[in-house]
């Protein structure tokens, strides 16, 4: 097998490692490409291409994350990971674990970890790398890596819900929610929302946003019944689609261009959180991006009572 063939076979794994460390599709793709360049120009053939490339992409991702954290501190409004429609790495024996590890909720928990903790946790807990391999990758002793994993696991467990949602029930509820949105049956949505539901948008200051967040069932319901009917009247489309391994949807304008993505956190038979990503810089990999401000202006013409959003 040539180096090119080896790399192409491992590309899905490398991207999946990088994305979980970085929370960015574009940065993960860049990290994978840089790994290929280093592999292609290496004067020696490593004993294991998988071990070599996994180590390289992890080190690159750690360095990128350290610099990205500085940029995220100056980010306008809430920061969410770039939406991922399909995880290229598949393992039938770990399908549930892989989906959970790439969810918006899990990636936001990973943001609490240091870059080194995050990388070690991802390698061990998600992809089941051995501690000798992890230690060689990050330049720490095996004992130190074990301590990093324990510390990271403690942080992650503290932020996770106590009870996992049944996947079939979760997906059925999400289907009811998005069917109601698409059909304009907004009134039926209120019972699907938890009392303390939140709706939070990542616009990066580059797309319409009504508030840093909307909290509570009454406030979120009012937001939905205010925004969705005008959006549908001008030809807007709600396209249910898994996002980050969770129930979600892509919102498109009448020409099929992407306005934003939504993901739902569902627990105890109700929607606990709605997270939307509308920053156009984070949507280019999903498809051609719409002019969200133009769409909003058109929607306001059909319903002048719409409040003017903020960036």
């Amino acid at each position: 097998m040539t180096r090119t063939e080896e790399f192409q076979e491992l590309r899905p794994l490398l991207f999946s490692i990088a994305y979980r460390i970085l929370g960015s599709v574009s940065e993960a793709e860049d990290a994978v490409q840089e790994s290929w360049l280093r592999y292609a120009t290496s004067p020696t053939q490593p004993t294991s291409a998988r071990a070599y490339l996994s180590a390289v992409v992890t080190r690159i991702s750690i360095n990128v994350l350290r610099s990205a954290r500085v940029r995220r501190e100056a980010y306008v409004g809430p920061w969410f990971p770039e939406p991922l429609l399909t995880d290229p790495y598949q393992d039938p024996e770990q399908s549930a674990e892989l989906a959970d590890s790439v969810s918006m909720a899990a990636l936001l928990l990973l943001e609490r970890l240091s870059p080194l903790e995050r990388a070690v946790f991802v390698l061990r807990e998600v992809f089941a790398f051995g501690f000798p391999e992890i230690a060689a990758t990050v330049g720490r002793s095996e004992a130190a890596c074990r301590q990093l994993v324990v510390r990271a696991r403690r942080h992650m467990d503290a932020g996770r819900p106590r009870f996992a949602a049944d996947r079939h029930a979760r997906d059925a509820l999400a289907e009811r929610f998005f069917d109601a949105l698409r059909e304009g049956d907004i009134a039926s949505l209120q019972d699907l929302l938890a009392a303390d539901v939140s709706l939070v948008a990542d616009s990066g200051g580059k797309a319409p946003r009504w508030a840093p967040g909307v909290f509570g069932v009454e406030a979120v319901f009012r937001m939905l019944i205010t925004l969705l009917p005008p959006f549908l009247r001008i030809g807007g489309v709600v396209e249910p689609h898994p996002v980050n391994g969770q129930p979600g949807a892509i919102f498109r304008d009448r020409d099929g261009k992407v306005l934003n993505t939504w993901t739902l956190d569902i627990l105890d038979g109700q929607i606990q959180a709605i997270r939307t990503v509308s920053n156009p810089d984070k949507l280019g990999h999903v498809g051609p991006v719409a002019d969200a401000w133009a769409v909003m202006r058109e929607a306001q013409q059909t319903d002048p009572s719409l409040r003017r959003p903020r960036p």
Side-chain angles (χ1 to χ4, degrees), residues 19-98:
Y19 178 77
R20 285 167 173 81
I21 295 174
L22 293 167
S24 165
V25 171
S26 55
E27 289 176 345
E29 289 174 342
D30 289 344
V32 171
Q33 185 60 27
E34 177 63 25
S35 300
W36 160 245
L37 293 176
R38 296 189 188 184
Y39 184 47
T41 58
S42 174
T44 59
Q45 177 66 31
T47 304
S48 167
R50 180 181 185 272
Y52 174 86
L53 284 165
S54 298
V56 169
V57 81
T58 298
R59 292 171 192 151
I60 292 171
S61 297
I62 290 172
N63 290 334
V64 172
L65 182 59
R66 284 171 175 154
S67 62
R69 290 209 158 183
V70 176
R71 298 194 303 274
R72 289 175 192 175
E73 289 175 359
Y75 195 80
V76 177
W79 180 93
F80 291 155
E82 290 184 9
L84 183 69
L85 300 188
T86 304
D87 188 353
Y89 180 72
Q90 302 295 324
D91 182 343
E93 295 183 0
Q94 285 186 285
S95 59
E97 292 82 357
L98 287 169

Coordinates of all heavy atoms in Angstrom, one line a residue, residues 19-98:
Y19 N -11.4 17.1 14.9 CA -12.6 17.9 15.1 C -13.0 17.9 16.6 O -13.4 18.9 17.1 CB -13.7 17.3 14.3 CG -15.0 18.0 14.5 CD1 -15.3 19.3 14.0 CD2 -16.0 17.5 15.3 CE1 -16.5 20.0 14.2 CE2 -17.2 18.2 15.6 CZ -17.4 19.4 15.0 OH -18.6 20.1 15.3
R20 N -12.8 16.7 17.2 CA -13.2 16.7 18.6 C -12.3 17.5 19.5 O -12.7 18.0 20.6 CB -13.2 15.2 19.1 CG -14.5 14.5 18.6 CD -14.3 13.0 18.8 NE -15.6 12.3 18.4 CZ -15.9 12.0 17.2 NH1 -15.2 12.3 16.2 NH2 -17.1 11.3 17.0
I21 N -11.0 17.6 19.1 CA -10.1 18.5 19.8 C -10.4 20.0 19.6 O -10.3 20.8 20.5 CB -8.6 18.1 19.5 CG1 -8.3 16.7 20.0 CG2 -7.7 19.1 20.1 CD1 -6.9 16.2 19.5
L22 N -10.7 20.3 18.3 CA -10.8 21.7 17.9 C -12.2 22.3 17.9 O -12.4 23.5 18.0 CB -10.2 21.8 16.5 CG -8.7 21.6 16.4 CD1 -8.2 21.5 15.0 CD2 -7.9 22.7 17.1
G23 N -13.2 21.4 17.6 CA -14.6 21.9 17.5 C -14.8 22.8 16.3 O -15.7 23.6 16.2
S24 N -13.9 22.6 15.3 CA -14.0 23.4 14.0 C -13.7 22.5 12.8 O -12.7 21.8 12.8 CB -13.0 24.5 14.1 OG -12.8 25.0 12.8
V25 N -14.7 22.4 11.9 CA -14.5 21.6 10.7 C -13.4 22.1 9.9 O -12.5 21.4 9.4 CB -15.8 21.6 9.9 CG1 -15.6 21.0 8.5 CG2 -16.9 20.9 10.6
S26 N -13.3 23.5 9.7 CA -12.3 24.0 8.8 C -10.9 23.8 9.4 O -9.9 23.4 8.7 CB -12.5 25.5 8.6 OG -12.6 26.2 9.8
E27 N -10.7 24.0 10.7 CA -9.4 23.8 11.4 C -9.1 22.4 11.4 O -7.9 22.0 11.3 CB -9.5 24.4 12.8 CG -9.5 26.0 12.8 CD -9.6 26.5 14.2 OE1 -10.0 25.8 15.1 OE2 -9.4 27.8 14.3
A28 N -10.0 21.5 11.6 CA -9.7 20.1 11.5 C -9.3 19.6 10.2 O -8.3 18.8 10.0 CB -11.0 19.3 12.0
E29 N -9.9 20.1 9.1 CA -9.5 19.8 7.8 C -8.0 20.3 7.5 O -7.2 19.6 6.9 CB -10.4 20.4 6.8 CG -11.8 19.7 6.8 CD -12.8 20.3 5.9 OE1 -12.6 21.5 5.5 OE2 -13.8 19.7 5.5
D30 N -7.7 21.5 8.0 CA -6.4 22.0 7.8 C -5.4 21.2 8.6 O -4.3 20.9 8.1 CB -6.3 23.5 8.4 CG -7.0 24.5 7.5 OD1 -7.4 24.1 6.3 OD2 -7.3 25.6 7.9
A31 N -5.7 20.7 9.8 CA -4.8 19.9 10.6 C -4.6 18.6 9.9 O -3.4 18.0 9.9 CB -5.4 19.6 12.0
V32 N -5.6 18.0 9.3 CA -5.4 16.7 8.5 C -4.5 17.0 7.3 O -3.6 16.1 7.0 CB -6.8 16.2 8.1 CG1 -6.6 15.0 7.1 CG2 -7.6 15.7 9.3
Q33 N -4.7 18.0 6.6 CA -3.9 18.3 5.4 C -2.4 18.5 5.8 O -1.5 18.0 5.1 CB -4.4 19.6 4.7 CG -3.7 19.9 3.4 CD -3.8 18.8 2.4 OE1 -4.7 18.0 2.4 NE2 -2.8 18.7 1.5
E34 N -2.2 19.2 6.9 CA -0.8 19.4 7.4 C -0.2 18.1 7.8 O 1.0 17.9 7.6 CB -0.8 20.4 8.6 CG 0.5 20.6 9.2 CD 1.5 21.3 8.3 OE1 1.1 22.0 7.3 OE2 2.8 21.1 8.5
S35 N -1.0 17.2 8.4 CA -0.5 15.9 8.7 C 0.0 15.1 7.5 O 1.0 14.4 7.5 CB -1.6 15.1 9.5 OG -2.0 15.7 10.6
W36 N -0.8 15.2 6.4 CA -0.5 14.6 5.2 C 0.9 15.1 4.6 O 1.7 14.4 4.2 CB -1.5 14.7 4.1 CG -1.0 14.5 2.7 CD1 -1.0 15.4 1.7 CD2 -0.5 13.3 2.2 NE1 -0.4 14.9 0.6 CE2 -0.2 13.6 0.8 CE3 -0.3 12.0 2.7 CZ2 0.4 12.6 0.0 CZ3 0.2 11.1 1.9 CH2 0.6 11.3 0.5
L37 N 1.0 16.4 4.7 CA 2.3 17.0 4.2 C 3.5 16.5 4.9 O 4.5 16.2 4.4 CB 2.2 18.5 4.2 CG 1.2 19.2 3.3 CD1 1.1 20.7 3.6 CD2 1.5 18.9 1.8
R38 N 3.3 16.4 6.2 CA 4.4 15.9 7.1 C 4.7 14.4 6.8 O 5.9 14.0 6.7 CB 4.2 16.1 8.5 CG 4.1 17.6 8.9 CD 4.0 17.7 10.4 NE 3.7 19.1 10.8 CZ 3.6 19.6 12.0 NH1 3.9 18.7 13.1 NH2 3.4 20.9 12.3
Y39 N 3.7 13.7 6.6 CA 3.8 12.2 6.3 C 4.4 12.0 4.9 O 5.3 11.2 4.7 CB 2.4 11.6 6.4 CG 2.4 10.1 6.2 CD1 3.3 9.3 6.8 CD2 1.5 9.5 5.3 CE1 3.3 7.9 6.7 CE2 1.5 8.1 5.2 CZ 2.4 7.3 5.8 OH 2.4 5.9 5.7
A40 N 4.0 12.8 3.9 CA 4.4 12.6 2.6 C 5.9 13.0 2.4 O 6.6 12.5 1.6 CB 3.6 13.5 1.6
T41 N 6.4 14.0 3.3 CA 7.8 14.4 3.1 C 8.7 13.8 4.2 O 9.9 14.1 4.2 CB 7.8 16.0 3.3 OG1 7.2 16.3 4.6 CG2 7.0 16.6 2.2
S42 N 8.2 12.9 5.0 CA 9.0 12.2 6.0 C 10.0 11.3 5.3 O 9.7 10.5 4.4 CB 8.2 11.4 6.9 OG 9.0 10.6 7.8
P43 N 11.3 11.4 5.6 CA 12.3 10.6 4.9 C 12.3 9.1 5.3 O 12.8 8.3 4.6 CB 13.6 11.2 5.4 CG 13.3 11.9 6.7 CD 11.9 12.3 6.6
T44 N 11.6 8.8 6.4 CA 11.5 7.4 6.8 C 10.0 6.9 6.8 O 9.1 7.7 7.1 CB 12.2 7.2 8.1 OG1 11.5 8.0 9.1 CG2 13.6 7.5 8.1
Q45 N 9.8 5.7 6.6 CA 8.5 5.1 6.7 C 8.3 4.6 8.2 O 9.0 3.8 8.7 CB 8.4 3.9 5.8 CG 7.0 3.2 5.8 CD 5.9 4.1 5.4 OE1 6.1 4.9 4.5 NE2 4.7 3.8 5.9
P46 N 7.3 5.2 8.8 CA 7.0 4.8 10.2 C 6.5 3.3 10.3 O 5.9 2.8 9.3 CB 5.9 5.8 10.7 CG 5.3 6.2 9.4 CD 6.3 6.3 8.4
T47 N 6.7 2.7 11.4 CA 6.3 1.3 11.6 C 4.8 1.2 11.5 O 4.3 0.3 10.9 CB 6.8 0.8 13.0 OG1 8.2 1.0 13.1 CG2 6.4 -0.6 13.2
S48 N 4.1 2.2 12.0 CA 2.6 2.2 12.0 C 2.2 3.6 11.5 O 2.4 4.6 12.1 CB 2.0 1.9 13.4 OG 0.6 2.2 13.4
A49 N 1.6 3.6 10.3 CA 1.0 4.8 9.8 C -0.1 5.4 10.7 O -0.2 6.6 10.9 CB 0.5 4.6 8.3
R50 N -0.9 4.5 11.2 CA -2.0 5.0 12.1 C -1.4 5.7 13.3 O -1.9 6.8 13.7 CB -2.8 3.8 12.5 CG -4.0 4.1 13.4 CD -4.8 2.9 13.8 NE -6.0 3.2 14.6 CZ -6.0 3.3 15.9 NH1 -4.9 3.2 16.6 NH2 -7.1 3.6 16.5
A51 N -0.4 5.1 14.0 CA 0.1 5.7 15.2 C 0.8 7.0 14.8 O 0.7 8.0 15.5 CB 1.1 4.7 15.8
Y52 N 1.6 7.0 13.7 CA 2.3 8.2 13.3 C 1.4 9.3 13.0 O 1.5 10.4 13.5 CB 3.2 7.9 12.1 CG 3.9 9.1 11.6 CD1 5.1 9.5 12.1 CD2 3.3 9.8 10.5 CE1 5.8 10.6 11.5 CE2 4.0 10.9 10.0 CZ 5.2 11.3 10.5 OH 5.8 12.4 10.0
L53 N 0.4 9.1 12.1 CA -0.5 10.1 11.7 C -1.4 10.6 12.8 O -1.7 11.8 12.9 CB -1.3 9.7 10.5 CG -0.5 9.6 9.2 CD1 -1.3 8.8 8.1 CD2 -0.3 11.0 8.7
S54 N -1.9 9.7 13.7 CA -2.7 10.1 14.8 C -1.9 11.0 15.8 O -2.5 12.0 16.3 CB -3.2 8.9 15.6 OG -4.0 8.0 14.8
A55 N -0.7 10.7 16.0 CA 0.2 11.5 16.8 C 0.4 12.9 16.2 O 0.3 13.9 16.9 CB 1.5 10.8 17.1
V56 N 0.7 12.9 14.9 CA 0.9 14.2 14.2 C -0.3 15.1 14.3 O -0.3 16.3 14.6 CB 1.4 14.0 12.8 CG1 1.4 15.3 12.0 CG2 2.8 13.3 12.8
V57 N -1.5 14.5 13.9 CA -2.7 15.3 13.9 C -3.1 15.8 15.3 O -3.6 16.9 15.4 CB -3.8 14.6 13.2 CG1 -4.6 13.6 14.1 CG2 -4.8 15.6 12.6
T58 N -2.8 15.0 16.3 CA -3.1 15.4 17.6 C -2.2 16.6 18.1 O -2.7 17.6 18.6 CB -2.9 14.2 18.6 OG1 -3.8 13.2 18.3 CG2 -3.2 14.7 20.0
R59 N -0.9 16.5 17.8 CA 0.0 17.6 18.2 C -0.3 18.9 17.4 O -0.3 20.0 18.0 CB 1.4 17.2 17.8 CG 2.0 16.0 18.7 CD 3.3 15.5 18.2 NE 3.7 14.3 18.8 CZ 4.4 13.3 18.3 NH1 4.8 13.5 17.0 NH2 4.7 12.2 18.9
I60 N -0.7 18.8 16.2 CA -1.0 20.0 15.4 C -2.3 20.6 16.0 O -2.4 21.8 16.2 CB -1.3 19.6 13.9 CG1 0.0 19.2 13.3 CG2 -1.9 20.8 13.2 CD1 -0.1 18.7 11.9
S61 N -3.3 19.7 16.3 CA -4.5 20.2 16.9 C -4.4 20.9 18.2 O -5.0 21.9 18.5 CB -5.5 19.0 17.0 OG -5.8 18.5 15.7
I62 N -3.5 20.3 19.1 CA -3.2 21.0 20.4 C -2.7 22.4 20.2 O -3.1 23.3 20.8 CB -2.2 20.1 21.2 CG1 -2.9 18.8 21.6 CG2 -1.7 20.9 22.4 CD1 -2.0 17.8 22.3
N63 N -1.7 22.5 19.2 CA -1.1 23.8 19.0 C -2.2 24.8 18.4 O -2.2 26.0 18.8 CB 0.1 23.7 18.0 CG 1.3 23.0 18.7 OD1 1.4 23.0 19.9 ND2 2.1 22.4 17.8
V64 N -3.0 24.3 17.5 CA -4.0 25.2 16.9 C -5.0 25.6 18.0 O -5.4 26.8 18.1 CB -4.8 24.5 15.8 CG1 -6.0 25.3 15.3 CG2 -3.8 24.2 14.6
L65 N -5.4 24.7 18.9 CA -6.4 25.0 19.9 C -5.8 26.1 20.9 O -6.6 26.9 21.3 CB -6.7 23.7 20.7 CG -7.8 23.9 21.8 CD1 -9.1 24.4 21.2 CD2 -8.0 22.6 22.5
R66 N -4.6 26.0 21.2 CA -4.0 27.0 22.1 C -4.1 28.4 21.6 O -4.4 29.3 22.3 CB -2.5 26.6 22.4 CG -2.4 25.5 23.4 CD -0.9 25.0 23.5 NE -0.8 23.9 24.5 CZ 0.1 23.0 24.5 NH1 1.1 23.0 23.5 NH2 0.2 22.1 25.5
S67 N -3.9 28.5 20.3 CA -4.0 29.9 19.7 C -5.5 30.2 19.4 O -5.9 31.4 19.6 CB -3.3 29.9 18.3 OG -3.8 29.0 17.4
A68 N -6.3 29.2 19.2 CA -7.7 29.5 18.9 C -8.4 30.0 20.2 O -9.4 30.8 20.1 CB -8.4 28.2 18.4
R69 N -8.0 29.6 21.3 CA -8.6 30.0 22.6 C -8.5 31.5 22.8 O -9.3 32.1 23.4 CB -8.0 29.2 23.8 CG -8.4 27.8 23.8 CD -8.4 27.2 25.2 NE -9.2 26.0 25.2 CZ -9.5 25.3 26.3 NH1 -9.0 25.7 27.5 NH2 -10.2 24.3 26.3
V70 N -7.4 32.0 22.3 CA -7.2 33.5 22.4 C -8.2 34.2 21.6 O -8.9 35.2 22.0 CB -5.8 33.9 22.0 CG1 -5.6 35.4 22.1 CG2 -4.7 33.2 22.9
R71 N -8.5 33.7 20.4 CA -9.5 34.3 19.5 C -10.9 34.1 20.1 O -11.7 35.0 19.9 CB -9.4 33.7 18.1 CG -8.1 33.9 17.4 CD -8.2 33.5 15.9 NE -8.7 32.2 15.7 CZ -7.9 31.1 15.6 NH1 -6.5 31.3 15.8 NH2 -8.3 29.9 15.4
R72 N -11.1 33.0 20.7 CA -12.5 32.7 21.2 C -12.8 33.7 22.4 O -14.0 34.0 22.6 CB -12.6 31.3 21.6 CG -12.7 30.3 20.4 CD -12.7 28.9 20.8 NE -12.4 28.1 19.6 CZ -12.3 26.7 19.6 NH1 -12.4 26.1 20.8 NH2 -12.0 26.1 18.5
E73 N -11.8 34.1 23.1 CA -12.1 35.0 24.2 C -12.6 36.4 23.7 O -13.3 37.1 24.4 CB -10.8 35.3 25.0 CG -10.3 34.0 25.8 CD -9.0 34.2 26.5 OE1 -8.4 35.3 26.3 OE2 -8.5 33.3 27.2
A74 N -12.3 36.7 22.4 CA -12.8 38.0 21.9 C -14.0 37.8 21.0 O -14.4 38.7 20.3 CB -11.6 38.7 21.1
Y75 N -14.5 36.6 21.0 CA -15.6 36.2 20.1 C -16.9 37.0 20.5 O -17.1 37.2 21.7 CB -15.9 34.7 20.1 CG -16.8 34.2 19.1 CD1 -16.3 33.9 17.8 CD2 -18.1 33.9 19.3 CE1 -17.1 33.4 16.8 CE2 -18.9 33.4 18.3 CZ -18.4 33.1 17.0 OH -19.2 32.6 16.1
V76 N -17.7 37.5 19.5 CA -18.9 38.2 19.8 C -20.0 37.2 20.2 O -20.5 36.5 19.3 CB -19.3 39.1 18.6 CG1 -20.6 39.8 18.9 CG2 -18.2 40.1 18.4
G77 N -20.5 37.3 21.4 CA -21.6 36.4 21.8 C -21.2 35.0 22.1 O -20.0 34.7 22.1
P78 N -22.2 34.1 22.3 CA -21.9 32.7 22.6 C -21.1 32.1 21.5 O -21.3 32.4 20.3 CB -23.3 32.1 22.8 CG -24.2 33.2 23.0 CD -23.6 34.4 22.3
W79 N -20.2 31.2 21.8 CA -19.4 30.4 20.8 C -19.8 29.0 20.9 O -19.9 28.4 21.9 CB -17.9 30.5 21.2 CG -17.0 29.7 20.2 CD1 -16.5 30.2 19.0 CD2 -16.7 28.3 20.2 NE1 -15.8 29.2 18.4 CE2 -15.9 28.0 19.1 CE3 -17.0 27.3 21.1 CZ2 -15.4 26.8 18.8 CZ3 -16.5 26.0 20.8 CH2 -15.8 25.8 19.7
F80 N -20.2 28.4 19.7 CA -20.5 27.0 19.6 C -19.6 26.4 18.5 O -19.0 27.1 17.7 CB -21.9 26.8 19.1 CG -23.0 27.2 20.1 CD1 -24.3 27.6 19.7 CD2 -22.7 27.2 21.4 CE1 -25.3 27.9 20.6 CE2 -23.7 27.5 22.4 CZ -25.0 27.9 21.9
P81 N -19.3 25.1 18.6 CA -18.6 24.4 17.6 C -19.2 24.5 16.2 O -20.4 24.8 16.1 CB -18.6 22.9 18.1 CG -18.9 23.0 19.5 CD -19.8 24.2 19.7
E82 N -18.4 24.4 15.2 CA -18.9 24.4 13.8 C -19.8 23.1 13.7 O -19.4 22.1 14.1 CB -17.8 24.4 12.8 CG -17.1 25.7 12.7 CD -16.0 25.8 11.6 OE1 -16.0 24.8 10.8 OE2 -15.2 26.7 11.6
P83 N -21.0 23.3 13.1 CA -21.9 22.1 13.0 C -21.3 21.0 12.1 O -20.7 21.3 11.0 CB -23.1 22.7 12.4 CG -22.7 24.0 11.7 CD -21.6 24.5 12.6
L84 N -21.4 19.8 12.5 CA -20.9 18.7 11.7 C -22.1 17.8 11.3 O -22.8 17.3 12.2 CB -19.9 17.8 12.6 CG -19.3 16.6 11.9 CD1 -18.3 17.1 10.9 CD2 -18.6 15.8 13.0
L85 N -22.3 17.7 10.0 CA -23.5 16.9 9.6 C -23.2 15.4 9.6 O -24.1 14.6 9.9 CB -23.9 17.4 8.1 CG -24.2 18.8 8.0 CD1 -24.8 19.1 6.6 CD2 -25.2 19.3 9.1
T86 N -22.0 15.0 9.2 CA -21.7 13.6 9.2 C -20.3 13.4 9.7 O -19.3 14.0 9.3 CB -21.7 13.1 7.7 OG1 -23.0 13.3 7.2 CG2 -21.5 11.6 7.7
D87 N -20.1 12.5 10.7 CA -18.8 12.1 11.2 C -18.2 11.0 10.2 O -18.8 10.0 10.0 CB -18.9 11.5 12.6 CG -17.6 11.3 13.2 OD1 -16.5 11.4 12.5 OD2 -17.6 10.9 14.4
P88 N -17.1 11.3 9.6 CA -16.6 10.4 8.6 C -16.1 9.1 9.1 O -16.0 8.1 8.4 CB -15.5 11.1 7.9 CG -15.0 12.1 8.9 CD -16.3 12.5 9.6
Y89 N -15.7 9.1 10.4 CA -15.2 7.9 11.1 C -16.4 7.1 11.7 O -17.1 7.6 12.5 CB -14.2 8.2 12.2 CG -13.6 7.0 12.8 CD1 -12.7 6.2 12.2 CD2 -14.0 6.7 14.1 CE1 -12.1 5.1 12.8 CE2 -13.4 5.6 14.8 CZ -12.5 4.8 14.1 OH -12.0 3.7 14.7
Q90 N -16.5 5.8 11.2 CA -17.5 4.9 11.7 C -17.0 3.7 12.4 O -16.0 3.1 11.8 CB -18.5 4.6 10.6 CG -19.1 5.7 9.9 CD -20.1 6.5 10.8 OE1 -20.7 5.9 11.6 NE2 -20.1 7.8 10.6
D91 N -17.5 3.3 13.5 CA -17.2 2.1 14.2 C -18.5 1.5 14.7 O -19.0 2.0 15.7 CB -16.1 2.3 15.3 CG -15.7 1.0 15.9 OD1 -16.4 0.0 15.8 OD2 -14.6 1.1 16.6
P92 N -19.0 0.5 14.1 CA -20.3 -0.1 14.6 C -20.3 -0.4 16.1 O -21.3 -0.3 16.8 CB -20.5 -1.3 13.8 CG -19.7 -1.1 12.5 CD -18.5 -0.3 13.0
E93 N -19.2 -0.8 16.7 CA -19.1 -1.2 18.1 C -19.1 0.0 19.0 O -19.4 -0.1 20.2 CB -17.9 -2.1 18.3 CG -17.9 -3.4 17.6 CD -16.7 -4.3 18.0 OE1 -15.9 -3.8 18.8 OE2 -16.6 -5.4 17.5
Q94 N -18.8 1.2 18.4 CA -18.8 2.4 19.2 C -19.7 3.5 18.7 O -19.5 4.7 19.0 CB -17.3 3.0 19.2 CG -16.3 2.3 20.0 CD -15.0 3.0 20.0 OE1 -14.3 3.0 19.0 NE2 -14.7 3.7 21.1
S95 N -20.7 3.1 17.9 CA -21.5 4.1 17.2 C -22.2 5.1 18.2 O -22.2 6.3 18.0 CB -22.6 3.5 16.4 OG -23.4 2.6 17.1
A96 N -22.7 4.6 19.3 CA -23.4 5.5 20.3 C -22.4 6.4 20.9 O -22.6 7.6 21.1 CB -24.1 4.6 21.3
E97 N -21.2 5.8 21.3 CA -20.2 6.6 22.0 C -19.6 7.7 21.1 O -19.4 8.8 21.5 CB -19.1 5.7 22.5 CG -19.5 4.8 23.6 CD -20.2 3.5 23.1 OE1 -20.4 3.4 21.9 OE2 -20.5 2.7 24.0
L98 N -19.4 7.4 19.8 CA -18.9 8.3 18.9 C -19.9 9.5 18.7 O -19.5 10.7 18.6 CB -18.6 7.7 17.5 CG -17.4 6.8 17.5 CD1 -17.3 6.0 16.2 CD2 -16.1 7.6 17.7

